[in-house]
Every structure is written in structure tokens, then in C-alpha cells.
Amino acid sequence: MLQPLEVARVFRACPESRFAFQSTAELVPLDPLSGHRRASEALDFGAAMRPRGFNLFVLGEAEHLARQLVLPYLEARAAEGKAPPDCCYLHNFDDPSTPRQLRLPAGMGRVLRGDIEQLVEELRVAIPAIFDSDEYQNRLQELKQAMGERQRDLIEAVRREAREHDIVLLSTPNGFSLAPAEGDGMMSPEAYEKLPKDDRERIEGTVEILQRKLQQAIRQMPRLAHELRQQIQILKEEMLQSVIAAPLEELEDRYREQAGVIAHFAAIREALLLHLEAFLAEDPEIPPEAIFSRCQLNLLVDNGPCEGAPVVQVGLPSHQHLVGRIEHHVHQGTLLTDFSLIRAGALHRANGGYLVLDARALLQQPGAWETLKRALRAGEIRTESLEQAYGLISTVTLEPEPIPLEVKVVLCGERHFYYLLSEHDPEFLELFKVQADLDDELPWHDAFLEEYARLIATLARAAGLPPLDPSGVAAVIERAARLAGDQQRLMAQARPLDDLLAEAAHWAGDAAVIRRAHVEQAVVQQRRRAGRVYELSQERIHRGTVMIATDGEVVGQVNGLSVLQLGGFAFGQPSRITATARPGPGQVVDIEREAKLGGRIHTKAVMILSRWLADRYAPRGALSLSASLAFEQSYGGIEGDSASVAEACVLVSAIAGVPLTQSLAVTGSINQHGEVQAVGGVNEKVEGFFAVCREAGLAGQGVILPAANVPHLMLDGEVREALAEGRFFLYAVGHLDEALELLTGQVPGSRGADGDFPEGSLNARVVARLESFRLALKRQGKQGSAGTDEPGKERNGGIEEAGKEGDAHDD
């Protein structure tokens, strides 16, 4: 008979003596990527690759990856790089709707912005002052006087010539007039009429000639006025140049190596000259402040304070948060905008460095995934609204020049996001060529214990928690192995460990260090908070609402074990599995499947079971059996193959009529050769059945489990105590025959050279019972032939109909 497992094999304790420290405060912090060698190499490779498309996707728990692994790694690497250029936007004086982008050496943007602001402040005062100065007013007056003298000279020339011909030039409200002179005045009309005809004709001819000359002089007045305006404009420009030349030339000399800045200064000079009247008119069409605002610099990203390349993480990676936005302000009921209202996005801030994004959050934001891909494909950042990008609006707005993009994007997300994107988005693998797959678990070996202790110390220190003493570290390591479900592996995900440490610190209260008792209390409280459904399930079993037997023997009945996962809490519970057997056409009916409660894996397990049954007990003929399997009082779905060992045992019991002990519960799957295979949740299953037996009274009950699952056992202290006292047992089996022997107390037996099982063995009883089924079917067939008009149709039809549901089980 198979011997039960020793206590030492169901739990791996972490020896506190392995740790030489008094508390984890003495330990040096651990590199977060220590132990993740494959992922670390992938990160090194992806971060070093410059060609486009070698962005990274880090597979694992997104929040844990970004906060505790990826960001520290990238920040350390970025510190060795150089700060990228500043990112700026300038007003485009030629086309205001397309602001010009400008990139400057890191830190220069802030200096340039200050220089331009100082220039504007200086000009804001100096320009009005120069036009109020005595120099400008005197020179303006001189120009006007000179032009007035030129105008008077033209009229005086006509007046002198008229005087020579005894004609007087008179100024009237309506202009000028010519009349014959008499003495010092104008000749009266009466005197003019008394003149001889020849004199009158001479005077009239002279007046006509003088009028033409006068008209010629008057026609020159607009030209002279235009010349005066030109001279005044030249004077204004000259005065303005005298104000702006010196400061602009100083700035141009300071930024002579920056062609974009020099071009902007030239545009400022031209704009000031073009809108010169705005500084002189009382109510100008464009106020001076509007002109000065166009000269300013919109410093989108200031990389001056950066020590190395930037590392940017975005919690909400929406379209606007990635490529920036263009803000508007309301003026007289109208939305207005300009280059100064362009705001930076994460791609601007991370340009030249690293951008870390949560894949789930990115995919949840409308249009954000396409926006990121478009920017990475084009190698540039276009700041536009989502409506603009998809052509959903036609209103006039800004279209800033795109900014060249050189960034390494690191997506963090669960593995299924990576595989779904790889399968359904053909561009994904072109843009994210490097995958860094972090381990969920780390190996537990003696040489690794101190390193894992440093990891615990690092997590506690990062969270601002008290240090742990060696007993606390050992308890955390043991819990990490339980979370990994393996004596040889430790949980590598930081979130469960962070939560455990935080709760242990809470229960530690004012204690200087966290000890084993605090960690164990945290585990107990975690289970307590999540255990309502578990306790309700146990109560129903104890009250007999759900029927589970823990003693006695029953034919065709066995205790199977299953695991229920509710959120982050899993617990095991027993289920009564029953079977019936009668003569039939080689059919094993899975009642769960027929009721559409069985999943595909469970259906596959029952098919394997039926093939094993036929191969073992009817290798050379038809299996004369009609059997059924059911999970009693199961009203939900059944999935998985971990009950197939129990189902095989209960089927054998039902066929042979041999009772099975109810004090043992069974878990494990089998293959077609009867070998027992490992299953999941073995710790929860054992503890679930133990809890039922404890309430019923421990009296030597136990669990049969696959031998392959023994390295996965990390059982609670109460179970281990019962094992040590001999009140509860665990049996590890590698073949179905071992489970049958434990459950029936009979030796199954092996086929001899003649192909038969030993007489009196369990398997011999099964074969004998199946032979009786075959004979019963044969007798039934003969009776049917004698008692019906169409015997062949009735007999064959009945067998064929049964076979339709059992085709997969027939030989």
C-alpha cells in the first residue's frame, strides 16, 4: 500500500539562519530587474537600437512594470544621455495659420524667451518716446515747411508773371482767380468795359495763358503732398530704425549661429516697420500689443533643467495628452487662437528620450492608439485636435508645423494585449519590434535567498515601511512561494508583495521591525476579508445542505476536489461525483456535458477517460457498458480535467460494485494510459477538504493527489500539524491503479502473459462484470428478436441511437 507523504514534503520552510542581518535596513537596495535576465537584455537591446520601429513592449503587470521596473531602469539609462533640444513655436508673419516650429539647444529657449520679452518691453517704451521727441517733431516740421515753401513758390511764380502783365492773382474761398489790375488793386468791371477792344482782347489772352500756368501749378500740389508723405514715412522709418536697430543687432549677434532665430528677428523688424502707424494712430486697426505679442516665443518644452534624456510617463494617454492641444479664448463671442496657445503633449516632452505608456489605458482612449502609430510612422508630431485628424470639422484653425520626433516608446501591458495586437494590428510589430517578457516567478534556491531578501528590503524602503527582521523576511518568502504555487519558485510580481508588506506593517503598529507574526496575521486577515463565500460554502457542507461524506464506503461515489476563483481569492471545495453502470453499447454519458454545464476541457477529459476504460477492459472487443457521470449538486459550469482521476475511480467502482472510501478526496487528471497528471490549485484543494474534515472530526481522512504536484505543495500550518499528528494524510500517486488501491483497499492487478488480470483482483472483477453486461445484452437481443415483427430494426436502431452520443467512446 502506498505510504502517505511526510510533513517535510508538503511545505518548504525558509531558514531564518540563512540571514546574517538584524533587519533589512542593513541591506543594499536591489536592482529592480535583478532576476529578470531575459527582460533586462531585451530592454538593453531596445533602448540602444536607434532605427525607427524598435520600440518596446514590456509584458507583465502594467502598473508594477512602469513604477517599479521600467521607470527606474530608463531613468538610470537616460541619465547617461544628453538633454534634447528645446521645443518652441513662433508666429509665422507670412501665414499666421501655420506657426513655425523652432528647436534650440537645451536651455536656450528660456534665455531667448527672456531676451525677446526684454526687447518687447524696451520697444514698448522707446517707440512712442521717439515719436514724441523734439528731434522727430522738428524734422517733421522742417519737412512740412519745406513742402509749403515749394507750393508757395509755384503760386508766386504765376503771381509775378501776372503782375508783369498788369494782372492780379487773387485768392478766394473757392480757389484762385485772375483779374486786370488798376493801380494797386483790381480793375472794376465798369472800368474794364470802358477799355478799348484791343486792350480787352490782350488782357483776356494773357489771363487765359496765366490760367493754364496756374492750373499746371495746382496740379503739382498732390504730387508734392505725396512726396511729403513719403518723406514723412522715411522719417518715421528712420526714427523707428534708430530705436530697434541696436537691440536687434545685439540679439542677432548673440544668436548668429541659430538660423531660425535670425530669421525671426528679421521678421520682427519687418513687421514693426510694416505696422508703424499702429504706434502713432489714436485708434489703430491693429493695436501695438497685438504686434508685440506676435514677436514673442512660445516655449513648448524647456529641457534646460534636464540632466540627461527625459523619461515621461503618462497616466491618461489620450489624443491631446500625446500630441498636445491648441487652446482658444473668447473675444466678443468668438473663439480665437494663435501660436501662443499651442500646448505641449507627452510626445513633445519625451522627444529625444523615453515615453512610458500603459497599453490598456492607451487602447481605451478614443483615437489615441492610431495617433501614436501615426506619429511613430511619420517621425513627427502634428498638434491637431482629434476632429481635425479625422476631418470631422471644417472651421479654420491653426496648423502648426510638425516637429521632428525621435523618441523611444515603451508600452507596458499584460501579455494578452501584446498577443492580440500582434494578431489583429498589422502595424504593431512594425512599430514595436522588441518585446521584454518579465518573469512572473523567480527561482528559489539557497544562493538566491539573500538577493530576494534585498528585493523585499527595496520594496519596503520604497513604500516607506519599517524594515523586516529575518523571521519576517522568511515569512514573506514562504508566502511568495505559496503565491507562486511552487516550492521551487517565488512570486516576482511586486503588487501582491507590496500589499502583503503594507498590511504586515499595519499589524506591526509601532514596532521597530516587521516580524513573522505580523506577516502571518496579514495573510490571515487577507483570507478573512475575502472569505465570505468560502465560509458560506463550508457552512452548507457542515449543515448537510451540500452532501459530502467524510467516512464510510459507498459504491459509485467519490469526493472530487475543485477550485473556485473569486477576484483575487481562490479556495477549494469538495464535490460529490457519482457514477452508474449497466449493460449498454459502450457509452459513457457525461451528464454535465449533456446539460450544457461541462466545458470543452472537461469534455475532453471524459473522452480520454472513456478511451482508457475501453483500452484497459475491452482491448479486443466491444465495451458492453452504459455508464453515466455526474457532479452532484453542481448548478454552475464544470471546466478542467482535474476530476478525471476521481471520475475514473468512481466508474470502476460502479462497474465492479466495489465501494470507495469516503474519507479520501481525489484530484488529478489522467491520460489514455492511466498515468496521473498534475493539476492546478492543489494547495487550495487540500485545504478545502481539510476544513470539511476538521468540522466533521479528523479521523484519518486525506487527499489523493498527483505525484507531479508534490513540489507545488505549500500547505497551511494547521494542515501540517494534522499531518504530523497522523489525523490527516496526503497520498501522491503516479498511476490510476495506485488511487484505486487506496480508495478500494484492493490490489488492481496487472495483465499477465495470457492477457488476463489475476483472479480476485479489482481489475478482474471489472472484466467479469463487463462480461456479464455483454451476456445480458446478448440475451436481451435474442429476446427482442423473438418478440417483435421487425426485430432487426428495433435492435439495431436502439444501439445506433445510443451510439450517436457515444461515438467518441466506441472502439
Side-chain angles (χ1 to χ4, degrees), residues 156 158-169 181 210:
E156 287 301 321
V158 176
R159 180 178 279 114
R160 286 194 300 271
E161 186 176 353
R163 194 176 292 121
E164 292 174 358
H165 294 85
D166 296 326
I167 304 295
V168 62
L169 178 63
L210 290 173

Side-chain angles (χ1 to χ4, degrees), residues 747-752 756-765:
V747 178
S750 301
R751 289 187 183 275
D756 296 329
F757 291 107
E759 186 176 351
S761 66
L762 176 62
N763 287 331
R765 296 185 63 173

Side-chain angles (χ1 to χ4, degrees), residues 351-363:
N351 203 3
Y354 304 90
L355 176 61
V356 182
L357 300 173
D358 182 343
R360 179 190 294 272
L362 178 68
L363 294 171

